[in-house]
Amino acid sequence: MRWSRLVMSVLVLTLGLAGPAEAVPAEVRVLTWNIWRGGLGAGADNLPRLLDQIVAVRPDVLLAVETYGAGEQIRQALTRRAGKGAYSGTRITPSTTGGDNLWIFTRYPVTKTYPAPSGGKVTAFNFGGVQVRLPGGRPLNLFDTWLPYTDPWNGYLIDENAAAIRAGLAPRHTPAAVAAAETAQTSYLSEIIARHLPAGPAVLGGDFNTPAASDWTEKWQDCPNHFGMAYPLRTTDLLVEAGFTDTFRAAHPSPCTAEGRTWSPQPTERMITPQRIDLTFARGAVVTGSQVLDTRLPRHGPGVFYSDHAALLTSLRVS
């Protein structure tokens, strides 16, 4: 009896010193996708197939761009068919802005919706977010974005240079001209970072309308389809400097072996150069995987992809 009491005392003391068990990290699947005119850009009968694609990847979070009237159908499809319980759909962009562009769908409880941006260039058409509660109670901020693009678009300028080089001609546009063609993207994202992003773990995804800056440095100018070109792009580097990780590049470090192009799967918009403009950035999370989705599900048979943008599926571990 005395021995049993001694053993019990040691166990109690040991457990007390060890403290409470640490919470198990949450595994979060984030799908970022510009679905093209509410899923109807690829045809009036396209939306059901696009919904099949969304359900097939069973995301925990969907950051949708160009939602345009498809929000409730997306929410219902995820709730009924993804096998992860009920999803909510938060309309970030009110219809009064010219269309309900941005929506955030999630199976996690939404504990806060951030107020619409005001007082600057950025509006709810460009940016907005919610905070959710992950299993174990930890918070995670989710932000959806669509950045406007400078005219002429820098992606087209890069492609025109590639076409010239391939034909044995001099590039038509200087690196400075290409960099200047992302003025709108840089200014909008600068404002978002300075005024609208809170501290703490966060995911920010959407259509950035500019190639990822890290892909076009001199380090990668000899990659296939780069044609020796390098450009001093700036926009996405702003997020890296703010402590965010480019999730696709974290999973696939080399643009030479993993282009990650998202613009565009449509044959009419196929580019010479890899335009990775749909991105997911994370802060306070470990990237465990990331992949571009740009082909139809086998059961849908041949045909064009469901959007003019590829989708990006990212897996994160949030502690």
Side-chain angles (χ1 to χ4, degrees), residues 11-314:
L11 287 173
V12 169
L13 180 61
T14 302
L15 290 172
L17 291 173
E22 293 186 3
V24 176
E27 304 291 336
V28 182
R29 290 165 62 84
V30 179
L31 182 64
T32 299
W33 200 4
N34 181 325
I35 66 171
W36 196 16
R37 300 178 187 171
L40 303 179
D45 59 348
N46 180 67
L47 182 56
R49 290 188 289 271
L50 183 142
L51 294 176
D52 287 346
Q53 174 67 89
I54 292 173
V55 170
V57 300
R58 305 177 68 243
D60 301 305
V61 174
L62 167 59
L63 305 175
V65 181
E66 288 196 31
T67 312
Y68 297 153
E72 183 57 21
Q73 293 178 73
I74 293 172
R75 188 197 67 78
Q76 290 183 13
L78 284 167
T79 296
R80 294 171 180 172
R81 298 162 50 198
K84 290 188 171 182
Y87 282 71
S88 65
T90 301
R91 179 191 294 183
I92 300 300
T93 309
S95 299
T96 53
T97 63
D100 55 328
N101 183 26
L102 305 177
W103 281 68
I104 298 177
F105 304 89
T106 180
R107 71 182 183 90
Y108 301 124
V110 174
T111 57
K112 179 178 182 178
T113 300
Y114 285 96
S118 62
K121 293 176 292 188
V122 177
T123 71
F125 194 85
N126 311 116
F127 175 82
V130 301
Q131 185 176 96
V132 298
R133 186 176 66 252
L134 300 180
R138 64 182 65 78
L140 178 64
N141 292 313
L142 305 172
F143 294 102
D144 198 3
T145 192
W146 178 88
L147 300 181
Y149 52 89
T150 306
D151 187 14
W153 181 50
N154 57 3
Y156 289 151
L157 300 187
I158 292 172
D159 225 51
E160 288 171 3
N161 280 350
I165 293 170
R166 193 169 63 175
L169 304 174
R172 295 175 55 188
H173 311 286
T174 66
V178 172
E182 65 165 358
T183 303
Q185 298 92 316
T186 303
S187 63
Y188 272 70
L189 188 58
S190 295
E191 183 178 312
I192 287 170
I193 294 170
R195 300 179 57 176
H196 304 300
L197 279 182
V203 175
L204 169 61
D207 178 0
F208 286 70
N209 270 318
T210 186
S214 63
D215 291 2
W216 289 95
T217 64
E218 291 182 356
K219 178 179 180 180
W220 305 113
Q221 65 184 12
D222 294 324
C223 288
N225 300 318
H226 282 216
F227 298 92
M229 297 186 295
Y231 297 101
L233 301 180
R234 180 70 182 134
T235 302
T236 58
D237 277 350
L238 297 174
L239 278 171
V240 176
E241 293 166 7
F244 283 80
T245 296
D246 178 344
T247 60
F248 184 83
R249 272 295 156 247
H252 309 280
S254 172
C256 293
T257 57
E259 290 181 337
R261 66 171 72 202
T262 63
W263 179 264
S264 166
Q266 294 297 315
T268 56
E269 287 286 353
R270 188 68 177 175
M271 308 283 280
I272 302 169
T273 54
Q275 302 293 325
R276 189 167 67 92
I277 67 173
D278 301 89
L279 308 163
T280 303
F281 284 83
R283 183 174 63 193
V286 176
V287 180
T288 58
S290 186
Q291 62 178 306
V292 170
L293 306 176
D294 60 1
T295 56
R296 290 162 62 97
L297 296 172
R299 68 176 183 268
H300 290 161
V304 298
F305 188 59
Y306 316 115
S307 174
D308 57 348
H309 291 251
L312 180 63
L313 179 63
T314 299

